Each structure stands twice: as C-alpha cells, then as structure tokens.
Amino acid sequence: MIYVWQPAALLHVGVWGFVATAMLSIVLQGSQGIGLSRLSLPFLVGTVFTGNRDRASVYGFTFYIIGGWIFAFMYYLVFSSVGHHDWWFGALIGALHGLFLLIVAMPLLPHLHPRIATEYDGPDANRRLEPPGFLGLNYGRMTPVTTVIGHMLYGAILGAALPPAIWY
C-alpha cells in the first residue's frame, strides 16, 4: 500500500492539533490552578532554555504548542496506519501517551533537564527545580489522573476530527 498525501490533511492536523493542545493545556493548567497538581509542562519545557522563570513560561508555551502540532501529526499517522478515526481510539492513544509521559519520560527528566534536581543528589545552585518522581507524584497526588485525562481529551479530539488518510 502507498499513502497518498492530502494537502488538506496538513491544514486539518494544524487546526485540530492546535485545538487539542489548547484543551490539553486547559486541563493541565486548570488542574494546577485549582490545586490538583503542580505540574506545568510548558514551564518544564521552558526551563530547559532559560533559568528566568518569566521567560521560561513564554518560551515553554511556544515550544509546547509546536510539540502539540508534532504530536498531532504523529497521531494522524497512527490513525491512518491502523485505519481508525474514532474519538474512543484517540482517547486510548492519548491515555497511552499520558502513561508513557508519566512512567518513562518523567523519571528521565532529571537526568536530561539542566535545572531539575535528581532524587539522589537534591537541589544545588543550578538544579533548583523539584524532580517529578514516579508518575509525577512529587507534583501532587492528582497529577497522574489529570495528566492522563488531559491526554485522553487531546487524543479524543484528534481521533474525532482528523480526516482518514487515502491508501492505494
């Protein structure tokens, strides 16, 4: 089989990737605002580039939106290769994405991020951010729940909205 690229698909991925990322941001930042979690993915991304906390939020959100578009394209490729474009399948992929973030990526973050302290060494002059811990639990007991729910919503939006690919 050969995939035939549809130019309109790029527009759909861009628009719906932005919408899905915005909804994910609302869930994650909203849960932070009401005290369910202290996790801010845009802030964590931004602090990779700068130690200035104000700038980190702006830089991080910019890269976070770009990452949302990249992941939307990856979701589109998964949906197209499997042949499913349903909200529930998108939610399932989103749950897997959220679990991967919590179980694999978060524990690696202190070893890759220049400003996050490790569980073993603790903070120092440069590494002042708290490590996320297993499932991001150092950022709050509800962090795993809100993270998975946000990613499920992200996937459900993309699964429902993205057009099916054309294969020959």
Side-chain angles (χ1 to χ4, degrees):
M1 291 184 130
I2 298 174
Y3 171 70
V4 177
W5 177 252
Q6 304 163 341
L10 185 60
L11 178 62
H12 284 285
V13 171
V15 169
W16 289 107
F18 181 80
V19 169
T21 303
M23 294 306 294
L24 172 61
S25 298
I26 288 170
V27 170
L28 295 181
Q29 294 301 116
S31 68
Q32 184 184 27
I34 62 174
L36 294 176
S37 174
R38 293 184 301 116
L39 175 63
S40 173
L41 291 176
F43 181 73
L44 285 180
V45 170
T47 54
V48 168
F49 301 102
T50 181
N52 180 317
R53 289 179 174 262
D54 293 331
R55 295 262 184 219
S57 294
V58 174
Y59 295 161
F61 194 72
T62 301
F63 284 105
Y64 184 72
I65 293 294
I66 293 167
W69 278 323
I70 292 169
F71 274 103
F73 185 73
M74 292 169 46
Y75 274 57
Y76 176 72
L77 293 177
V78 169
F79 297 149
S80 298
S81 66
V82 174
H84 283 284
H85 285 269
D86 304 305
W87 69 268
W88 61 267
F89 185 68
L92 175 66
I93 298 300
L96 294 173
H97 180 187
L99 288 171
F100 181 84
L101 175 69
L102 291 166
I103 295 170
V104 177
M106 287 291 210
L108 287 175
L109 206 52
H111 306 288
L112 302 171
H113 195 293
R115 291 179 182 81
I116 294 182
T118 68
E119 298 270 341
Y120 310 106
D121 299 324
D124 62 26
N126 293 323
R127 294 179 172 264
R128 298 180 358 188
L129 298 176
E130 181 180 18
F134 179 68
L135 296 176
L137 288 170
N138 287 354
Y139 295 156
R141 290 182 37 191
M142 293 299 291
T143 297
V145 174
T146 59
T147 301
V148 171
I149 288 172
H151 282 83
M152 287 176 72
L153 179 61
Y154 176 88
I157 290 169
L158 294 176
L162 294 180
I166 298 175
W167 292 87
Y168 289 105

